Every structure is written in C-alpha cells, then in structure tokens.
Amino acid sequence: MAKTIDMTKGSPAKLLVQFAVPILIGNLFQQLYTLADRVIVGQFVGADAFSAFGSTNALSMMFMSMCMGTAIGTGVVVSQYFGAKDEKNTAAAIANGAYVNLTVAVIMTMIALLTAEPILMLLNTPEVLMKDAVDYMKVFMGGLIAVAAYYTPFSVLRALGDSKTPLIFLTFCSVLNIVLDLIFVVPLGMGVTGAAAATVLSQGVAAVSCMVYAFQKVPQFRAAVRYGRPDSRLLRQTLKVGIPAGFQYSLMYISSIVLQRVVNGFGSSAIGAFTATTQMETLVQQIYAALGSAMVTYTGQNIGAGQTSRVKKGMRSAVRISAAASVLLLAVFWIGGRLFMGIFVPDTDITSLAYSGIRITSLFFMALGVVQVIRFLLNGAGDSIYALINGMVEIIARIGFAVLLTAIPFIGRWGIWLTTGLTWLVTAGFAFWRYKGGAWMTKSLVQAKEESNG
C-alpha cells in the first residue's frame, strides 16, 4: 500500500517540507526533460529552432491550463473528503474527477488543433520560425489527452498525502523523455516535431504506469471503481474548483501570449533570450510550486477537518521558507547568471540579453514565492472566486506593463523582463489581500467538523 500522510496533525513546517521535497525533486526532473528539449533542439538543430520552440510555450500552456485546472480541482475535492475521513466520497471524487478531466482534455484538444496556427500568425511570429512552431503545436496538442492523463493520478495521490510515488513516475518520465529526445531529434532528424513526440509519448507511458500502480496499491483508487457512478454533486464540486483554476491559468498564459507578441517585435535574439530566461524562471518556480502543492493538500485536508487555524500556521511557515529560497536564488543569478544562460545556445547575443534579463526578474522572486503559496492555499480551501479574479488581475497587469514599459525609449526591450517581475509583485499583493480578507475560511466543499486545535 502506498504511504499517505494525514496533514491535520503535527508540525505544519515539518509536514510541508516533508511533503514538498519529493514534489520539488519530481518537478525538477520534469523541468529537466523540458530543459533537455530546448538544449537538444538549440544545440543540434539551431538557434531559430530554439526560438520557434520558445515562441509556442505560452500558447501550449494556455491550452493545457484547463487540464491542469481540473486536475487541481479533483485533488482539492479528494483532499477535503480525505481530511474529513469520508472514505466513500473520497473514492467517488476520484472517479468523478477522472470523468471531468477526460472530457475537458478532449474538448481542449479539438480547440487547440483548430486554432493554434491562426493564433501563432496573430502573434506576429517571425516567418522564419513559423513552420517549426506550427509543427510542434500540432504534435504536442494532438497528444493533449496523454498530458492530461499524466496530471490526474499525480494530483489524486498528492491529495491523499502521497508525494513520493509521483516522484518515481516523474523521474521515469523525465529519463524516458530525454532518451527519446536524443533518438528523435539527433539521429532521426525530426527537429522540434521529434521533441514534441518525445514529450507526449513519455508522459503517456508515465501516466499509464502510475494508474496501474495506483489501482494495485492504493485502496481509494480501487474503491473508485465501486463508487464510480457519475455523481452530479461531485462533478459540480470538481468543476467549481477546477474550471476557475483552469481559467486562472488560461488568463495567465493569455497574458504571457500577449507579452510574447511584444517580445516577437524585438526580433529573434530577444525571442531567444526571453525563451532562455523564461525556462530558467520556470525551473526556479519549482521550489515555490512544490511548496504550493504541499499547501493545497495541507489546506484541503485541514479545511475538510475544520481546522482553519492550522492552515494559517502552515501559510506562515511556507512564506518563511520561500523567502529564504528567494534570497539564495537572487545571489545565484546575480553572480552566475551568465553561465546558466549559456547552456541553451552558443549565440552570445542571446546569452548576454538573457543574463541581463534574469538579473532583473530575480529581484522579484520573493513576490513570486508569495503568489504560489497563497494561490495554492486559496485553491485548496475551495476559493474559486479568487482564482478567476486573480487571473484577471494578472492579465491586466502583464499586458499593461508590457505595453507601457516597452514603449518608454530608455527602457525598451528591458521592459519585457520588468513586466514579468512587476506582474508577480502586483499578483502577490492581491493574493495577500484576499487571504487577509478571510473569505476562504467559508469555502469548504464538505461538511467540516468543529474547529479543533490539532
């Protein structure tokens, strides 16, 4: 039987670290193969292919966001019932979450295949990058169901307090992806299409393997078959959290797409530099995302158990941890940023731009940490209204800063990176305001017990 953790008892800081470390390792492995995609394409295919790859990032994540959101929604519902010690509804929530996730994945696949190329054209993607960008999107979006299947069992296992099992399958997926990258891109010469195929295939294999394991080892998954009848109440609860979370991510990536259009106007070198810094920032975010994933499970279980005071204690612990990490990362990138940027492509223009860019955005890492911790806390509490409003705040901030800052002559292209940092700062302020308002304490999806001091 897989080991689960009851996060309604014990030291919040210890539980969060214990839960977050395997997630962080898994996230880093996941980013490792994403990084490998870019490095292999950049080194073996060329700078234009690398830039084309980067130009699709926000767009592909926009389409994936609804799948990510419904996976989060499933995890929140499962964690709250698990925290409330309601075994029947925990199992039924797993099954109904799977129905929602599959349906959303099919819908998003169809939309993505129909609209990806027109959107890339609308974004003013340079003609020299267009073919590679379109080819990548067709393959990656065609395999979106495999990607959605990849997120779902991991979200459920984490909701049950098991962050170690997903690590095993994430590691397997990462290694497989890199091996397939080297085969498809180098000897087979498939270029960016090969990188997309490697990602889809490896995630599909990892998803199937994880689900087989879960049904064999985790009682709640086996019980999900017994209580697997569609339940309108559970479907609504999953959608109540999942759809706003998905829209939150969609709006975030839509704003990133608009920023990408601004970046595209500065030419291929700026596109390559922005791709490099975005990839490195994504790697950095895994620290905060791991804490956030721990917070969503911690919050969900404690909200289900009626222990809001423990949620507050956990939030304070998580913010302190993220602040310490931010100071360390700031020093790392100001001292050694040029070395890190140079791993992507040998082009010195791209490397120099990227180094200056990462020095700007690293000044705002502490705000990014606050955003991730509180965002996941509020999601775990079932505060779906926050998710929608936060998405709108982010899109307004990112578009507004991008248009205004890059239009100022003495700022120009540096406004690209200032936009990223200032957007983190604004959304952190909004998240903290929402948290202090306390509305999240009334959003439980289950019948909570009386408040206790556990």
Side-chain angles (χ1 to χ4, degrees):
M1 173 180 173
K3 181 174 177 57
T4 59
I5 299 176
D6 183 349
M7 303 185 81
T8 63
K9 301 174 183 177
S11 164
K14 182 178 179 181
L15 285 167
L16 288 169
V17 171
Q18 178 185 356
F19 195 82
V21 168
I23 296 176
L24 174 59
I25 296 171
N27 287 354
L28 290 175
F29 269 105
Q30 190 173 18
Q31 289 305 310
L32 177 63
Y33 72 70
T34 303
L35 185 64
D37 282 343
R38 272 118 174 112
V39 171
I40 291 169
V41 168
Q43 295 292 340
F44 292 99
V45 184
D48 282 345
F50 175 79
S51 296
F53 207 160
S55 71
T56 67
N57 183 64
L59 181 58
S60 60
M61 291 303 296
M62 182 191 75
F63 289 121
M64 285 174 59
S65 61
M66 292 306 299
C67 299
M68 294 164 58
T70 51
I72 289 172
T74 300
V76 168
V77 176
V78 170
S79 68
Q80 291 198 14
Y81 280 115
F82 184 72
K85 308 299 188 288
D86 186 338
E87 295 181 5
K88 179 180 177 180
N89 277 312
T90 297
I94 294 172
N96 281 269
Y99 303 146
V100 171
N101 296 334
L102 178 61
T103 302
V104 168
V106 171
I107 293 171
M108 295 311 299
T109 297
M110 292 188 294
I111 294 174
L113 291 175
L114 289 172
T115 63
E117 185 171 358
I119 293 175
L120 285 168
M121 294 175 66
L122 185 64
L123 292 175
N124 197 28
T125 303
E127 186 176 350
V128 68
L129 309 181
M130 192 67 180
K131 183 180 184 303
D132 280 341
V134 171
D135 288 346
Y136 178 85
M137 288 297 296
K138 285 180 178 178
V139 175
F140 191 60
M141 293 297 102
L144 195 56
I145 292 175
V147 177
Y150 173 79
Y151 283 112
T152 303
F154 295 166
S155 180
V156 172
L157 286 171
R158 288 171 178 171
L160 297 174
D162 179 9
S163 62
K164 294 180 179 178
T165 298
L167 168 61
I168 297 170
F169 292 99
L170 280 167
T171 304
F172 167 70
C173 177
S174 301
V175 173
L176 178 61
N177 194 109
I178 294 171
V179 171
L180 293 176
D181 267 334
L182 291 170
I183 294 171
F184 293 165
V185 176
V186 185
L188 297 183
M190 295 173 63
V192 295
T193 303
T199 298
V200 170
L201 184 58
S202 61
Q203 290 188 343
V205 171
V208 171
S209 301
C210 186
M211 285 188 283
V212 169
Y213 170 88
F215 277 106
Q216 289 180 343
K217 301 292 185 180
V218 184
Q220 290 88 350
F221 273 80
R222 294 196 296 274
V225 177
R226 186 162 69 252
Y227 300 114
R229 185 178 64 182
D231 183 316
S232 60
R233 176 179 55 87
L234 291 169
L235 292 171
R236 285 196 303 272
Q237 288 178 342
T238 303
L239 290 168
K240 179 182 178 181
V241 179
I243 295 301
F247 274 119
Q248 172 183 260
Y249 287 115
S250 290
L251 290 171
M252 179 174 69
Y253 290 116
I254 287 171
S255 66
S256 295
I257 288 170
V258 175
L259 179 57
Q260 183 68 57
R261 191 181 192 284
V262 174
V263 174
N264 291 350
F266 287 98
S268 294
S269 291
I271 295 172
F274 183 68
T275 299
T277 55
T278 299
Q279 184 59 56
M280 194 57 67
E281 289 156 12
T282 301
L283 195 62
V284 165
Q285 286 188 52
Q286 302 319 304
I287 298 171
Y288 309 125
L291 271 174
S293 295
M295 277 304 302
V296 77
T297 298
Y298 177 90
T299 301
Q301 289 192 16
N302 282 286
I303 287 289
Q307 299 189 128
T308 55
S309 62
R310 275 183 61 80
V311 176
K312 295 177 182 179
K313 291 177 184 176
M315 182 268 187
R316 290 192 291 270
S317 296
V319 168
R320 284 194 291 268
I321 294 167
S322 69
S326 299
V327 173
L328 177 61
L329 289 165
L330 175 65
V332 167
F333 285 112
W334 273 69
I335 295 170
R338 189 180 299 276
L339 177 65
F340 287 110
M341 294 301 103
I343 69 175
F344 293 102
V345 288
D347 188 306
T348 54
D349 288 341
I350 291 178
T351 300
S352 295
L353 277 176
Y355 173 52
S356 297
I358 200 70
R359 283 164 63 97
I360 293 171
T361 56
S362 62
L363 295 170
F364 299 90
F365 281 167
M366 195 169 296
L368 176 61
V370 171
V371 170
Q372 293 280 26
V373 168
I374 300 181
R375 173 184 290 163
F376 280 100
L377 183 156
L378 297 176
N379 283 337
D383 188 358
S384 55
I385 297 299
Y386 159 77
L388 282 174
I389 299 174
N390 178 74
M392 289 186 283
V393 169
E394 183 149 348
I395 195 170
I396 291 170
R398 184 166 278 118
I399 293 173
F401 285 132
V403 172
L404 291 174
L405 293 175
T406 56
I408 298 174
F410 66 88
I411 295 179
R413 62 187 179 186
W414 305 118
I416 296 167
W417 290 279
L418 279 171
T419 291
T420 297
L422 290 172
T423 300
W424 292 339
L425 188 63
V426 169
T427 51
F430 174 72
F432 186 72
W433 172 80
R434 181 69 178 184
Y435 167 79
K436 292 296 289 184
W440 58 272
M441 292 185 283
T442 67
K443 303 296 183 179
S444 176
L445 303 171
V446 306
Q447 186 63 44
K449 301 175 183 177
E450 293 299 317
E451 173 80 23
S452 64
N453 295 322

